[in-house]
Each structure stands twice: as C-alpha cells, then as structure tokens.
Amino acid sequence: MSILDTLIAEFKGLCSRFTDLRQPSPNLQYSIQDIVLAAFSVFFIQSPSFLDSQKQLERKYGLSNAQTLFGLDKIPTDNHIRKVLDKTPSSTLVPMFQNLFERLRDSDVFQKFTVLNDRILIALDGTQHHSSTDISCPSCNSKTAKNGVTTYYHSFIGASLCAPGNNTVLSLPPEFITPQDGHDKQDCENAAAKRWLSQYGAYYAAEKAVILGDDLYASQPLCEAVLEQNLDFILVCKETSHKVLYDFISNAEMETVSIREKSGPDRGRITRLRFINKVPLNGNSDPLLVNWVGIEVTDRNGKKGYTGAFVTSIKITADTVASIAEAGRARWKVENETFNTLKNKGYHLEHNFGHGKENLCNLFATMNLLACNFHTMAELLDEKYKTIQEKLRRRVGFFEEIRTLTKYVLFNSWDALFDEILDSFKPRDSTRQKP
C-alpha cells in the first residue's frame, strides 16, 4: 500500500473537526467529510477541474478516482464546498502538519534533515497568497496607493524544515498575517512570527530546533522570543540595519578560517569566515549579546561570489563556524523550495480558488501546503513514487501524468496508478514480423 493511501486516511480522520453549521437533515446530500476531501483533492492533483472530470468518469463507470483514491462517497459542487468550508479556521489542519513531521522524524531519512549535532533547522519567512483591488474579507490586510486605490491581500509566515545540501523541505504549520482582535494596527510579519514561536516553539524545541530568518528577524524582541522558547537562532545580519554591532566588531579582534575546495566542480573556490562571540546586537542600554559570523566566497580566479553575515545564539568555534554559516544560508530554502514551488510549479498558491467571507482563503492556502507536503512525504518514503520522480525528473511532469490518467482511467488505489505509470517506462518489443 502506498504511503499516500495511509496519509489520506489520516487526513480523513481530521474531517470531523471541521465546522459544519448545516442543520441535520435526511436530505443532507454531502457529508462534511466529502466536502473536505473534495477540496483537498483539487490541491493534491493540482487541477481546478479535477472534480468535474471525476463526475464525468462516475457517469461512465459508476465510480470515480475521487472515491477510490481520496475516499469520497459523493462529489459535491464547487460552490457548496466554498460555502461550507468558509466557517472552518485554518488552524483545524495543524495536527496533520505535526503528524507528517513526526512520521518523518521516525523514519530513516530524517538524518538528512539533522545538522550541528542532531539539531534541526526551521526557516521562517513571510509570503503573500492573495491580492485584489475588488475582493476582500475581514481577514484581509490592506494598503492604499497614492492614487487612492486600495489593495486587499492575504499573507502568512511560512515555516520550513530544511537542511544544507538537501533539496527537500517540509512545511510546518503556517501563521497567517491577519487583523487581530483587540488591535488597532494592521498585523505584520514581525508580530505573526512571535505568534508562531509562542504556539509552536516549545513543540520544536524538543527537537533542538534552530530558527533561521532574514534580517527582519535579527531584532532583539524577536531573538528574545526565540530564546524564551528554548530555541536557538541563526539570522541574517546586515550592516545597514545593525550599525552599532558593526561599529563594535570593526574595532574588535576576530578569528578567521579559510576553506579551499581541493576537488570537484568548485575546485579552487575559497570560503573565508570571520567570527566573534558575545557582541551587542544593538545600542540598547541592555543589549542582547549574540555571536557574529561573516562569509566571503571567491572563485579560483579571485572573483567574489557570495558575501553575507549572520548572528546566532550558538557559540562559534573554529571547528563549528563553517557548519553554522552553511546552516544560516539554508534559510533561502523557504523561498526557493517552498514558496517558489507553491507559486510557480503547479500548486497555484496565489490563484483565487475561493476567497470567502471568513476563513476560506487561508484554509485553502493551508490545504495547498499540506498537499505539497503529502507529495514530499511520498517522494521520501514511497519507492514507487520516488522511482517515478527520478524517471520524469520534474515534479511538474508527474502531475501531468496523474492529471491525464485520472481523467480517463479508473484506479482502485495509488499503487495501481503508480504501477500504470511505471509500466509506461518499460521497453516495448519493437520487433516486426517479416512479410
């Protein structure tokens, strides 16, 4: 049995937690379970027209892949899905994120996500997933341009489990940047990051998590919020926003380490690392003391490449400085492997699947994150899925295959679907009979 069958069955168990304000009635056509699974199937298959194609398949065979692969009983209409799900907060899906993380943690592949003596890295960053000058809801933030046009938008703090040298990431529960009760000011990334730490920090502290983030996060209040949860941090630290720190280190004695690549495509490349411990993050009367590392990379011809700097709560030594710097640079994976994948590789994160009047826009964004996670887990833990990915080389190619096959062919399981794709890779007998 494919791990997808298992994960979808576990997701099915969450459906009873969804808000259903419909009055009980013998004429109630669709269960809340059918409505939730139908919505999720669209994100999983990466096809807004998936449910329509399954209705056509059902008319032909009396059954559809929505039923056999996703466990639906009846296929609801798009409008009915949007109307019912608008009442359910996105936080309802948080247990599924934790379920996936724990399943990964207990697997053999989890070691690929551990660094710095069995720590894990969690990169935080904000991204937008809806923008419109016409459509809005109470959960929207807004901004008004000089010409008087107001744009309404949704955004969230994304959290990604990542590691250097590992192109796979796993999304953790998001925190939406949305107007908060009792606050006059609009919500912001900084405040949402603090809420994320407050809600989930202790859970991931048990896994010795290190928080990664850009320069916005390298402020004393946010750093202290990280430390309060018994977490560590490695954060981008720019000179333009940390003048006091850079003035301090300009007159301080620092240790240096140089690493030259001796083989491979980067042979001759030199990475120069400078570091110093216990420096003031800012000019406050009681500044937080942090540890600083600067990086400069040059190629074999002396041409400058990457330059950057980080502050961290982890003590830096000559033995650990390279690993800490490498871990800090992994923060880009939340943008490259998470946001870029969701926006540009088929998941259509910024597409308006349905905005709703209360929770729908954020709930659908959360389902999209989970759908991506399900594929990630299959790629890591399902041998058939992994083989298909290796053959097709692109996840986009995989979705093209399953969209086409599920539109015309009925499968009784994910294993059966994968077997059909794998069979297409087998060489065919091209011999011809002589006339």
Side-chain angles (χ1 to χ4, degrees), residues 103-278:
R103 182 179 289 274
L104 179 61
R105 180 197 60 197
D106 295 339
S107 72
D108 294 336
V109 299
F110 190 65
Q111 60 182 348
K112 295 179 181 179
F113 291 89
T114 59
V115 297
L116 303 170
N117 295 322
D118 294 327
R119 297 172 184 261
I120 61 170
L121 303 178
I122 298 175
L124 301 182
D125 199 12
T127 193
Q128 188 170 289
H129 64 98
H130 167 79
S131 178
S132 174
T133 56
D134 301 314
I135 302 171
S136 66
C137 71
S139 294
C140 281
N141 283 307
S142 64
K143 54 186 176 184
T144 302
K146 291 181 180 180
N147 63 4
V149 175
T150 298
T151 300
Y152 303 95
Y153 63 94
H154 283 262
S155 53
F156 66 89
I157 295 291
S160 294
L161 176 70
C162 59
N166 185 351
N167 291 330
T168 304
V169 299
L170 186 76
S171 290
L172 305 178
E175 176 61 31
F176 288 91
I177 304 171
T178 188
Q180 301 296 299
D181 292 339
H183 292 261
D184 294 329
K185 293 183 179 180
Q186 285 203 121
D187 199 19
C188 64
E189 184 174 343
N190 192 295
K194 290 179 182 177
R195 291 199 303 275
W196 191 95
L197 290 165
S198 176
Q199 292 180 77
Y200 308 115
Y203 179 85
Y204 294 107
E207 308 295 336
K208 299 193 294 183
V210 180
I211 301 299
L212 309 181
D214 62 21
D215 187 73
L216 174 69
Y217 291 76
S219 67
Q220 183 154 337
L222 258 177
C223 289
E224 289 177 340
V226 172
L227 296 173
E228 284 172 6
Q229 300 298 327
N230 294 315
L231 298 161
D232 281 302
F233 58 79
I234 305 173
L235 307 169
V236 173
C237 180
K238 296 181 179 179
E239 184 172 2
T240 51
S241 52
H242 294 84
K243 188 176 184 303
V244 170
L245 186 153
Y246 278 85
D247 284 346
F248 182 93
I249 65 176
S250 66
N251 298 310
E253 185 177 344
M254 284 190 275
E255 294 188 59
T256 61
V257 172
S258 292
I259 302 170
R260 179 186 291 271
E261 300 294 335
K262 296 180 179 180
S263 60
D266 297 320
R267 185 171 62 85
R269 185 181 66 185
I270 299 174
T271 302
R272 294 182 176 87
L273 302 154
R274 298 180 299 149
F275 67 94
I276 183 172
N277 290 299
K278 295 186 177 179

Side-chain angles (χ1 to χ4, degrees), residues 40-51:
F40 182 73
S41 70
V42 170
F43 297 111
F44 187 89
I45 298 291
Q46 289 192 356
S47 173
S49 63
F50 175 69
L51 296 178

Side-chain angles (χ1 to χ4, degrees), residues 42 46-54 56 78 403 407:
V42 170
Q46 289 192 356
S47 173
S49 63
F50 175 69
L51 296 178
D52 287 336
S53 69
Q54 296 313 296
Q56 294 176 28
D78 292 352
R403 275 196 296 269
K407 185 175 182 178

